[in-house]
Amino acid sequence: MKNIILIGFMGVGKGSIAREIVKNSSYMAIDTDDLIESMQNKKIKQIFKEDGEVYFRQLEKNVSLWLEKSVKSTLISTGGGFYKVKNLKKIATVVFLDSPFDKIIKRIKEHPNAKAKFKKRPLLSDLKAAKELYKKRRPEYLKLADIVIDVSDKTALNCTKEILKKVKK
Ligand code: S3P
């Protein structure tokens, strides 16, 4: 089994879909933000605040080198900016989870934990700036993707079925 890596904008559902894939396949999953938080013993928000974004991006790069070298047959979910690492295509089959910006924001707002979901993401604190970031990133996500899944208005289970079918081809 080749690694699968999920990329896409903040709040698109990378984590939920990763958990659904684990439930419905023999993949185990890891998440790049979780790895960083546990190794640093700090939340992402705290790393941004105390150490800065440049430092956080360096941590993502370190994770990417480890993934390429040491991780096999695994589903990898990522932070929304992880796709920028240079070796992404060497790590895994790249699956881009696509959704319009407004639907992503709506999805977060409707979550029972909406407040916490916004709070933990420093780059979502200003929605106007976040929309600009989305516009800049979307073509870059598309360019890197081996598989594109339109996740808007679909359940995590349906997205999972689509991903597993396309990865097998
Ligand atoms: C980021 C996305 C976040 C997290 C960090 C930066 C980004 O992850 O890695 O706040 O640059 O898009 P999620 O995509 O899980 O929110």
Side-chain angles (χ1 to χ4, degrees), residues 10 14 33 44 48 56-57 78-81 121-123 137:
M10 290 169 272
K14 299 181 292 282
D33 279 348
I44 302 291
F48 265 69
F56 174 73
R57 299 301 173 198
T78 61
R121 296 180 164 109
L123 299 178
R137 280 183 178 175

Side-chain angles (χ1 to χ4, degrees), residues 49 54 68 87 89 94 109 121 124-125 134 154 160:
K49 201 170 155 209
V54 172
E68 182 187 344
N87 60 342
K89 304 283 278 186
V94 179
K109 281 186 175 162
R121 296 180 164 109
L124 275 188
S125 59
Y134 173 91
K154 280 185 205 153
T160 293

Side-chain angles (χ1 to χ4, degrees), residues 31-43:
D31 179 88
T32 58
D33 279 348
D34 289 349
L35 289 168
I36 289 172
E37 286 188 338
S38 59
M39 284 306 108
Q40 298 288 305
N41 195 25
K42 277 184 186 182
K43 292 288 175 198

Side-chain angles (χ1 to χ4, degrees), residues 3-167:
N3 290 330
I4 301 173
I5 197 158
L6 303 180
I7 63 167
F9 203 68
M10 290 169 272
V12 79
K14 299 181 292 282
S16 319
I17 292 171
R19 285 185 286 277
E20 203 60 47
I21 292 176
V22 168
K23 263 198 235 164
N24 292 282
S25 72
S26 53
Y27 278 98
M28 249 322 248
I30 53 178
D31 179 88
T32 58
D33 279 348
D34 289 349
L35 289 168
I36 289 172
E37 286 188 338
S38 59
M39 284 306 108
Q40 298 288 305
N41 195 25
K42 277 184 186 182
K43 292 288 175 198
I44 302 291
K45 192 184 165 201
Q46 204 184 347
I47 299 174
F48 265 69
K49 201 170 155 209
E50 292 172 10
D51 310 299
E53 184 173 344
V54 172
Y55 180 72
F56 174 73
R57 299 301 173 198
Q58 181 59 46
L59 298 174
E60 288 191 315
K61 194 178 157 205
N62 298 348
V63 170
S64 77
L65 297 176
W66 171 74
L67 289 171
E68 182 187 344
K69 209 169 141 213
S70 308
V71 174
K72 308 266 176 290
S73 305
T74 298
L75 187 277
I76 303 159
S77 57
T78 61
F82 187 84
Y83 75 103
K84 287 206 176 238
V85 299
K86 288 200 175 74
N87 60 342
L88 190 78
K89 304 283 278 186
K90 286 193 187 152
I91 298 172
T93 301
V94 179
V95 177
F96 168 44
L97 305 181
D98 193 18
S99 176
F101 181 78
D102 294 344
K103 288 201 175 171
I104 293 176
I105 300 305
K106 190 168 169 264
R107 180 178 178 273
I108 308 176
K109 281 186 175 162
E110 283 170 357
H111 196 278
N113 256 339
K115 224 174 157 186
K117 298 251 164 215
F118 278 110
K119 222 175 145 197
K120 74 169 194 180
R121 296 180 164 109
L123 299 178
L124 275 188
S125 59
D126 174 350
L127 283 185
K128 223 174 140 192
K131 188 164 188 172
E132 288 311 306
L133 187 63
Y134 173 91
K135 279 196 215 154
K136 183 173 159 273
R137 280 183 178 175
R138 190 170 175 270
E140 298 175 355
Y141 290 134
L142 281 168
K143 214 168 152 190
L144 284 163
D146 297 305
I147 294 167
V148 180
I149 305 286
D150 177 359
V151 302
S152 51
D153 307 318
K154 280 185 205 153
T155 63
L157 180 59
N158 280 338
C159 297
T160 293
K161 285 181 185 161
E162 246 182 78
I163 291 167
L164 293 174
K165 208 163 126 191
K166 288 194 175 160
V167 163

